[in-house]
Amino acid sequence: MIAPGATIGILGGGQLGRMLALAAAELGFDTHIFTPEDDSAAARVAARATIAPYEDEAALAAFAAAVDVVTFEFENVPARTAQLLEAGRAPVRPNAAALALAQDRLVEKQIFRDLGVATAPFAAVDDDAGLAAALTTIGAPAILKTRRLGYDGKGQARIADPAAAGAAFALLGRAPAILEGVIDFEREISVIGARALDGGFAVYDVCENIHRGGILAITRVPAAISEESAARAIQTAKNLMDRLDYVGVLTVEFFVLAGGALIANEFAPRVHNSGHWTSDACVTSQFEQHIRAIAGWPLGDAARLADIEMINLIGADVEQWRAFAAERNAHVRLYGKREARAGRKMGHVTRLLRH
Ligand code: AMP
């Protein structure tokens, strides 16, 4: 167990790291951010920062010596970085193996299948012959996704017509990919769970998510799904965390079909954008929950006290901050990013709907 006064090392300098650092501070911890990015959103609220490439082994060794536990705030930190740190003095939580699995869409899908959960039909695509074979089994329309390094709809191309498949593969740089069948879903949901060092489990109410252009736009809780679908989604998250011997917060995204059947899409080994509402509607936020878990503390209560919606401020949306700030019922959080580039997550707003 890690006591207040200790230092939590966080790989990654984005908004999730920023909110983790703020939650850690509330529990009496210092945080030390490791990121290649100068002037990052997370480093500006942390006690210390190392600005170095994830491959810089000397910087990693110094970081490992300066912290009491290591965690990460996004899954595209190279798995080797986490593996190197795991060989050092400070524990890495969640473990580096869980991070590595979450980095490959093909492996993720196979894990879901092993757990007995349905996924979209998929096939691996490594080259033109593989693409042709995948199109034969999956058909069109389909979505080609790079196996690695995709996020917020990046690294994806829709294929409406098989004749356009070659161009889609070229657009993705011909990187190893998977071809997925398009799911005609009724809604999208996510489950955010936490697993403690002693195997204890806590889970938030299921979230309903609306995406625009592959990026999360709005989350509403509760999700308009049956209790049975919610229970199955939660059980899947628990089974996955047990299987990975996971410590920390983990998110699983699903498509829900008309009739309530679930299709698992992907998991994220971290706190998640669809869980930002927990900061305002729950006894324990997802950020505090993650810090508690990786510090070896007992998990906090994940109970929800109000219905709520969360609206992402993406790119120029952030210019509306004045209007949201004037709304009595809205809570505005801005990530302090210097530049509002298109598609960039700049902040979010929560609104309590009934309480
Ligand atoms: P992902 O990066 O896999 O989470 O995909 C981003 C978004 O694209 C999802 O939240 C869905 O809205 C959409 N999407 C991804 N895969 C599929 C699929 N197989 N069928 C239908 N929509 C999808």
Side-chain angles (χ1 to χ4, degrees):
M1 186 183 269
I2 290 159
T7 299
I8 294 177
I10 301 176
L11 300 169
Q15 66 272 13
L16 300 177
R18 179 179 175 100
M19 291 183 273
L20 283 170
L22 293 170
E26 288 190 352
L27 298 180
F29 294 109
D30 279 347
T31 49
H32 184 154
I33 306 293
F34 190 109
T35 175
E37 194 192 344
D38 200 17
D39 196 30
S40 69
R44 295 211 305 283
V45 302
R48 285 189 63 191
T50 299
I51 297 158
Y54 290 122
E55 296 75 19
D56 183 336
E57 295 191 16
L60 287 172
F63 173 72
V67 302
D68 298 290
V69 62
V70 175
T71 193
F72 40 86
E73 63 107 40
F74 86 132
E75 64 271 36
N76 290 334
V77 171
R80 186 173 145 72
T81 300
Q83 284 153 1
L84 284 172
L85 290 167
E86 224 162 43
R89 185 184 58 90
V92 177
R93 299 175 184 156
N95 59 68
L99 174 66
L101 295 175
Q103 289 179 341
D104 186 335
R105 287 185 185 274
L106 184 63
V107 173
E108 255 180 327
K109 290 252 188 311
Q110 282 156 349
I111 293 173
F112 283 129
R113 295 235 167 141
D114 287 353
L115 290 172
V117 187
T119 67
F122 65 90
V125 173
D126 293 318
D127 49 29
D128 289 325
L131 179 60
L135 279 166
T136 310
T137 40
I138 308 294
I143 306 180
L144 191 64
K145 301 182 180 178
T146 57
R147 282 173 61 171
R148 294 178 174 278
L149 299 175
Y151 71 99
D152 285 349
K154 296 186 177 72
Q156 297 192 16
R158 287 225 174 205
I159 299 175
D161 175 352
F169 194 31
L171 196 72
L172 301 185
R174 302 175 61 81
I178 61 169
L179 189 72
E180 272 185 41
V182 173
I183 302 297
D184 183 18
F185 56 79
E186 193 171 71
R187 53 191 90 243
E188 293 189 73
I189 61 165
S190 55
V191 175
I192 296 160
R195 189 168 180 275
L197 204 53
D198 66 1
F201 176 69
V203 68
Y204 294 97
D205 282 353
V206 174
C207 326
E208 182 160 341
N209 303 319
I210 297 164
H211 291 84
R212 290 193 193 115
I215 307 180
L216 181 66
I218 295 172
T219 295
R220 290 201 183 94
V221 196
I225 58 168
S226 68
E227 273 180 35
E228 196 197 332
S229 297
R232 266 187 289 124
I234 288 169
Q235 190 61 48
T236 300
K238 180 169 190 317
N239 293 347
L240 177 61
M241 282 194 273
D242 286 342
R243 179 182 163 138
L244 301 177
D245 195 17
Y246 195 87
V247 176
V249 166
L250 176 143
T251 306
V252 189
E253 295 180 41
F254 299 89
F255 304 126
V256 187
L257 306 185
L262 296 181
I263 307 277
N265 180 31
E266 61 178 357
F267 69 89
R270 54 171 171 79
V271 290
H272 197 259
N273 192 169
S274 65
H276 289 356
W277 59 275
T278 59
S279 297
D280 300 311
C282 293
V283 177
T284 311
S285 75
Q286 62 167 347
F287 305 103
E288 176 178 342
Q289 197 73 290
H290 186 74
I291 298 296
R292 280 172 167 264
I294 64 166
W297 290 24
L299 297 177
D301 186 356
R304 181 172 58 85
L305 306 174
D307 293 358
I308 191 160
E309 68 178 2
M310 188 281 312
I311 301 151
N312 262 344
L313 301 178
I314 295 166
D317 294 349
V318 72
E319 286 159 23
Q320 299 165 45
W321 67 267
R322 269 177 226 279
F324 285 118
E327 248 183 68
R328 199 187 65 84
N329 197 30
H331 193 135
V332 184
R333 286 189 178 77
L334 301 173
Y335 308 147
K337 295 183 183 175
R338 307 290 193 203
E339 210 189 323
R341 291 194 293 271
R344 195 174 196 205
K345 290 175 176 170
M346 300 299 294
H348 67 269
V349 178
T350 56
R351 272 199 199 108
L352 296 175
L353 299 177
R354 187 164 55 75
H355 54 110

